[in-house]
């Protein structure tokens, strides 16, 4: 009797599993889950790209400010003017040091920096970026150097575009202000 009852229960359980219970997901349920996962993945890729570009841009601005501070240190150490020249390719800038202390026209290139991996990050054809010099006392003047002109404030506008095409909207912008006696301020 015990054996018959056990067999009856096992047969009933197996029969119940075959008829009424589900043992997995339907194809429709799997397709919905995959669609949701795909949408989330696409959103995260867009966000990651934005974060990477913003980080690269912030790094380029930080590097520029560090180079300006280095120019001030070189000027103080060598008692010469150091110039920061923004190249016409809108992708790089060059640090130059005054060769002859008695001449304002004799310069040698110290180094050229290609920020943002060679991407455009300023507009060399407009007045938003000006070449400037730093003296041994920290005074800032426009380049080419005119010693009769008083120290001046320089404002530099930097950006990256959504695409590398001119006319594409700017997505990140910063202004770097260099005050007449060497102070630096980065503004959003």
């Amino acid at each position: 009797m015990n054996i018959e009852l056990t067999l009856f229960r096992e047969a009933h359980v197996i029969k119940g599993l075959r008829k009424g219970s589900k043992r997995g997901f339907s194809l429709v349920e799997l397709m919905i889950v995959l669609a949701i996962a795909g949408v989330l993945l696409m959103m995260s890729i867009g966000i990651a790209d934005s974060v990477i570009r913003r980080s690269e841009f912030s790094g380029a601005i930080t590097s520029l400010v560090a180079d300006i501070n280095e120019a001030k240190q070189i000027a103080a150490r060598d008692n010469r003017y150091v110039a920061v020249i923004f190249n016409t390719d809108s992708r790089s800038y060059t640090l130059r040091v005054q060769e002859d202390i008695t001449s304002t026209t004799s310069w040698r290139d110290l180094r050229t920096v290609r920020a943002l991996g060679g991407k455009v990050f300023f507009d060399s054809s407009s007045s938003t970026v000006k070449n400037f010099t730093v003296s041994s006392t920290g005074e800032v003047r426009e380049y080419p150097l005119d010693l009769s002109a008083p120290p001046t404030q320089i404002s530099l506008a930097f950006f990256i575009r959504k695409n590398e095409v001119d006319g594409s909207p700017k997505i990140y912008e910063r202004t770097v202000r260099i005050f007449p006696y060497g102070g630096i301020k980065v503004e959003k």
Side-chain angles (χ1 to χ4, degrees):
M1 173 95 163
N2 239 352
I3 296 175
E4 289 177 13
L5 185 59
T6 305
L7 289 175
F8 175 75
R9 283 185 185 163
E10 287 180 9
H12 181 65
V13 168
I14 292 173
K15 192 174 178 184
L17 284 176
R18 287 188 195 146
K19 279 188 176 178
S21 69
K22 294 183 180 180
R23 296 188 67 178
F25 300 106
S26 71
L27 183 60
V28 173
E29 291 170 331
L30 286 175
M31 294 303 287
I32 289 171
V33 168
L34 288 176
I36 291 170
V39 167
L40 291 174
L41 179 66
M42 295 306 281
M43 287 174 35
S44 67
I45 288 172
I47 291 170
D49 182 51
S50 175
V51 168
I52 289 169
R53 290 181 68 151
R54 185 185 313 243
S55 175
E56 287 174 341
F57 182 63
S58 293
I61 297 298
T62 301
S63 178
L64 171 69
V65 170
D67 286 338
I68 293 169
N69 283 324
E70 182 184 5
K72 292 189 313 188
Q73 289 175 350
I74 292 169
R77 181 191 69 207
D78 297 345
N79 195 28
R80 298 180 187 275
Y81 282 91
V82 177
V84 179
I85 309 299
F86 294 93
N87 300 325
T88 57
D89 66 0
S90 298
R91 301 167 193 274
S92 60
Y93 57 91
T94 301
L95 296 178
R96 290 184 179 163
V97 72
Q98 184 183 26
E99 287 227 300
D100 181 5
I101 198 165
T102 61
S103 171
T104 60
T105 59
S106 178
W107 300 84
R108 74 176 157 80
D109 289 353
L110 196 58
R111 77 169 174 273
T112 297
V113 178
R114 291 183 64 85
L116 285 178
K119 296 176 187 168
V120 171
F121 81 112
F122 61 88
D123 186 358
S124 61
S125 64
S126 73
S127 62
T128 59
V129 175
K130 294 180 182 176
N131 300 328
F132 64 93
T133 62
V134 180
S135 74
S136 60
T137 59
E139 296 176 339
V140 177
R141 290 187 164 82
E142 288 189 27
Y143 180 89
L145 185 58
D146 179 6
L147 293 176
S148 64
T152 185
Q153 177 175 317
I154 304 290
S155 290
L156 310 168
F158 299 97
F159 60 86
I160 56 173
R161 295 187 184 279
K162 186 170 180 89
N163 301 317
E164 276 293 304
V165 181
D166 283 341
S168 170
K170 297 175 184 176
I171 54 174
Y172 303 120
E173 296 182 75
R174 296 286 183 273
T175 300
V176 177
R177 295 198 192 287
I178 305 163
F179 297 101
Y181 293 96
I184 299 172
K185 182 178 182 182
V186 178
E187 300 172 341
K188 292 184 178 184

